[in-house]
């Protein structure tokens, strides 16, 4: 059984004109095919940007490792005592250093209240925009996720957030299902969440100053704090790249560690092994970024080809003599051959892997730098996708503004027609009008 409201006076008394306009706006937004197309393209390109970002992180980690083994560092022994930190060479480094970790960086973690089901629709299904903001001023950033009928379940919301590059998932704590959202590490990355549109989604997802109900904080965002050789250092992450020249420090636990660096020809074998392992870890990371998106997978293929060229330029017999071979896109190391080569001629191994400008480690580092610098494969593709996102976002703003004006006009026409004061579309005031008569 349905109940109709036969005049705009009755409707205004129940909803008020602003609510009528809002309802019309939500209905038009949900029906507009162009807006759905824009949202689909924005979701695709946002996912591409996120994948490019993860690709850049994997490449940068490999570059740091390769740089750390170029030059004289190939024969540098690195020894860390204590469980507070681990370290990697990223450039020339010497001496003994102490690190005291006083606080680890962590990301903020938010969660909704528990719901009985993970796949039950939440709210009316009218379009809603969930905006997640962090930082302030020049460091401010935001991500907007569109939720509507079809994805307005906990699982649907989590997937939409993941597609936008957020860390979201649905958890079952035995009492029900809750949406969990993790931010980025660092105190400045605390999240603020606002919801425009569906009130039920707002009540579930809102978080921040003035937000009633909504998500609750399970872990606060905080910076890492440490003393490095007696000097106080803070970081939004648990990685310190500049605290000690030539070293990248990973803060692992509270406590103290000592780092000793010394020249040691015996370290060559271990460092060659680390370079091979780092190359293979990079390969696995790139494999994990395959999505089936032709453009994204083509970019991955080009990135791999650039790295393969470094190996192509090396003498395959010289690599084989020290135990390095290629198989299925990865490197295989024969440690017995490597040890024998170092025993026979350590200088030859050092030159092949670590010699500045011509060594394998330096070649890898330069190949990554080329790709990530302006004019490089990765940097150029990121710029192209970002420009397309900006263009689509501007188009979405324009389309949404047009829809809002249309909704306001429809609400006004309904108000005039419903009172009988208008012969809009040839209709008389004798017949009650529904707003959906104008939207049909």
């Amino acid at each position: 059984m349905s109940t109709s409201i036969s005049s705009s006076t009755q409707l205004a008394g129940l909803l008020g004109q602003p609510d009528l306009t809002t309802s019309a706006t939500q209905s038009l937004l949900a029906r507009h095919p162009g807006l759905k197309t824009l949202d689909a393209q924005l979701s695709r390109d946002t996912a591409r940007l996120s994948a490019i970002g993860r690709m850049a992180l994997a490449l940068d980690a490999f570059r740091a490792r390769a740089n750390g083994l170029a030059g004289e560092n190939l024969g540098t022994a690195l020894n860390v005592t204590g469980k507070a930190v681990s370290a990697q060479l990223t450039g020339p480094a010497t001496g003994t250093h102490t690190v005291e970790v006083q606080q680890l960086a962590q990301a903020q973690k938010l969660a909704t209240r528990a719901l009985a089901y993970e796949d039950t629709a939440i709210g009316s299904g009218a379009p809603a925009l969930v905006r997640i903001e962090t930082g302030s001023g020049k460091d401010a950033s935001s991500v907007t996720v569109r939720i509507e009928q079809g994805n307005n379940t906990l699982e649907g919301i989590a997937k939409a957030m993941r597609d936008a590059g957020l860390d979201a998932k649905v958890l079952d704590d035995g009492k029900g299902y809750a949406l969990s959202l993790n931010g980025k590490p660092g105190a400045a990355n605390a999240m603020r969440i606002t919801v425009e549109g569906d009130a039920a989604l707002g009540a579930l997802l809102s978080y921040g100053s003035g937000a009633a109900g909504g998500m609750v904080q399970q872990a606060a965002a905080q910076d890492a704090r440490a003393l490095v050789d007696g000097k106080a250092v803070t970081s939004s992450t648990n990685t310190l790249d500049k605290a000690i020249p030539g070293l990248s420090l990973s803060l692992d636990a509270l406590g103290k560690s000592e780092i000793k660096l010394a020249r040691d020809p015996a370290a060559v074998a271990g460092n060659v092994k680390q370079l091979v392992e780092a190359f293979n870890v990079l390969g696995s990371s790139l494999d994990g970024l395959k999505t089936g998106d032709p453009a994204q997978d083509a970019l991955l293929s080009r990135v791999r080809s650039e790295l393969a060229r470094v190996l192509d330029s090396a003498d395959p017999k010289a690599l084989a003599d020290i135990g390095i071979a290629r198989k299925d896109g990865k490197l295989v190391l024969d440690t017995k051959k490597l040890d024998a080569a170092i025993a026979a001629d350590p200088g030859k191994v050092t030159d092949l892997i670590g010699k500045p400008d011509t060594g394998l480690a330096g070649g890898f580092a330069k190949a990554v730098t080329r790709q990530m610098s302006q004019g490089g494969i990765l940097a150029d593709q990121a710029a192209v996708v970002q420009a397309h996102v900006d263009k689509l976002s501007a188009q979405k703003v324009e389309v949404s503004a047009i829809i809002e004006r249309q909704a306001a006009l429809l609400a006004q026409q309904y108000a005039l027609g419903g009172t009988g004061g208008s012969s809009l579309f040839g209709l008389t005031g004798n017949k009650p009008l529904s707003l959906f008569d104008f939207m049909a």
Side-chain angles (χ1 to χ4, degrees):
M1 178 179 179
S2 63
T3 301
S4 63
I5 299 173
S6 60
S7 76
S8 62
T9 301
Q10 290 175 288
L11 185 63
L14 291 174
L15 295 177
Q17 189 66 30
D19 289 323
L20 181 59
T21 302
T22 298
S23 297
T25 301
Q26 292 176 347
S27 182
L28 286 174
L29 285 171
R31 293 161 176 242
H32 199 285
L35 200 58
K36 290 184 177 181
T37 299
L38 286 173
D39 280 332
Q41 292 175 337
L42 274 170
S43 178
R44 176 203 64 197
D45 284 354
T46 301
R48 285 177 176 174
L49 274 179
S50 178
I52 290 173
R54 294 195 297 273
M55 203 182 307
L57 287 174
L59 286 167
D60 193 48
F62 175 64
R63 175 174 59 180
R65 194 72 197 100
N67 266 330
L69 298 176
E72 294 182 356
N73 278 348
L74 191 64
T76 297
L78 171 64
N79 182 51
V80 180
T81 58
K83 298 180 179 179
V85 303
S86 51
Q88 284 189 347
L89 288 164
T90 58
T94 58
T96 300
H97 307 274
T98 58
V99 180
E100 179 182 352
V101 180
Q102 299 174 327
Q103 177 174 285
L104 293 174
Q106 70 179 18
Q108 186 181 39
K109 183 177 181 179
L110 304 177
T112 65
R113 67 180 185 276
L115 301 181
Y117 303 100
E118 58 185 326
D119 54 359
T120 297
I122 302 166
S124 65
L129 298 179
V130 182
R131 182 171 292 106
I132 300 94
E133 299 175 286
T134 61
S136 60
K138 64 180 180 63
D139 296 321
S141 65
S142 69
V143 175
T144 300
V145 180
R146 180 182 172 90
I147 305 299
E148 58 190 339
Q149 188 171 8
N151 71 345
N152 60 331
T153 65
L154 283 181
E155 280 290 359
I157 295 168
K159 182 179 184 304
M161 287 183 170
R162 289 194 297 270
D163 288 345
L166 300 172
D167 181 6
K169 56 187 174 183
V170 176
L171 300 177
D172 178 6
D173 64 358
K175 299 178 181 179
Y177 297 91
L179 175 70
S180 175
L181 179 62
N182 293 332
K184 296 179 180 179
N189 290 316
M191 294 178 283
R192 304 178 298 279
I193 304 176
T194 56
V195 181
E196 297 177 11
D198 196 293
L201 289 174
L204 182 70
L205 299 173
S206 295
Y207 180 82
S209 177
M215 303 188 85
V216 296
Q217 178 173 274
Q218 295 187 328
Q222 66 182 32
D223 289 337
R225 297 199 321 262
L227 292 176
V228 180
D229 292 334
K231 181 180 178 180
V233 177
T234 61
S235 171
S236 62
T237 71
N238 289 315
T239 299
L240 304 180
D241 288 327
K242 298 180 180 179
I244 300 176
L247 283 179
S248 175
L249 305 178
S250 294
L251 309 185
D252 300 326
L254 303 184
K256 293 183 179 180
S257 285
E258 184 178 72
I259 302 167
K260 291 184 178 180
L261 298 144
R263 296 287 297 155
D264 182 3
V268 173
N271 286 335
V272 172
K273 181 180 179 182
Q274 287 185 30
L275 180 64
V276 169
E277 289 175 347
F279 181 88
N280 291 337
V281 166
L282 173 62
S284 297
S285 297
L286 296 180
D287 285 342
L289 292 175
K290 291 180 179 178
T291 62
D293 177 346
Q296 196 63 32
D297 290 349
L299 177 62
L300 279 169
S301 179
R302 293 176 66 192
V303 167
R304 284 182 174 279
S305 294
E306 285 295 309
L307 294 172
R309 286 193 182 97
V310 177
L311 291 169
D312 291 341
S313 65
D315 182 348
K317 183 178 184 306
L319 289 176
D321 287 344
I322 67 168
I324 295 178
R326 300 164 69 175
K327 183 179 180 181
D328 299 330
K330 294 184 180 295
L331 295 180
V332 179
L333 179 64
D334 184 329
T335 54
K336 290 184 178 180
K337 275 191 174 183
L338 176 61
D339 291 340
I342 293 172
D345 190 348
K348 180 180 178 181
V349 177
T350 300
D351 285 349
L352 183 61
I353 302 297
K355 189 174 183 178
D357 299 326
T358 60
L360 194 62
F364 281 141
K366 289 179 181 179
V368 172
T369 298
R370 283 195 301 270
Q371 295 186 63
M372 297 177 64
S373 300
Q374 187 174 6
I377 294 171
L378 205 62
D380 282 1
Q381 186 62 22
V384 168
V385 177
Q386 183 62 63
H388 199 229
V389 167
D390 293 343
K391 180 181 178 180
L392 291 172
S393 297
Q395 290 175 347
K396 182 176 178 178
V397 169
E398 292 176 2
V399 172
S400 297
I402 292 171
I403 291 174
E404 289 171 2
R405 290 195 295 271
Q406 290 174 339
L409 179 60
L410 285 171
Q412 182 182 30
Q413 291 171 341
Y414 173 78
L416 291 173
T419 58
S422 170
S423 59
L424 185 65
F425 304 140
L427 298 174
T428 68
N430 297 327
K431 180 182 178 181
L433 299 176
S434 162
L435 179 60
F436 291 99
D437 291 331
F438 298 110
M439 298 171 63

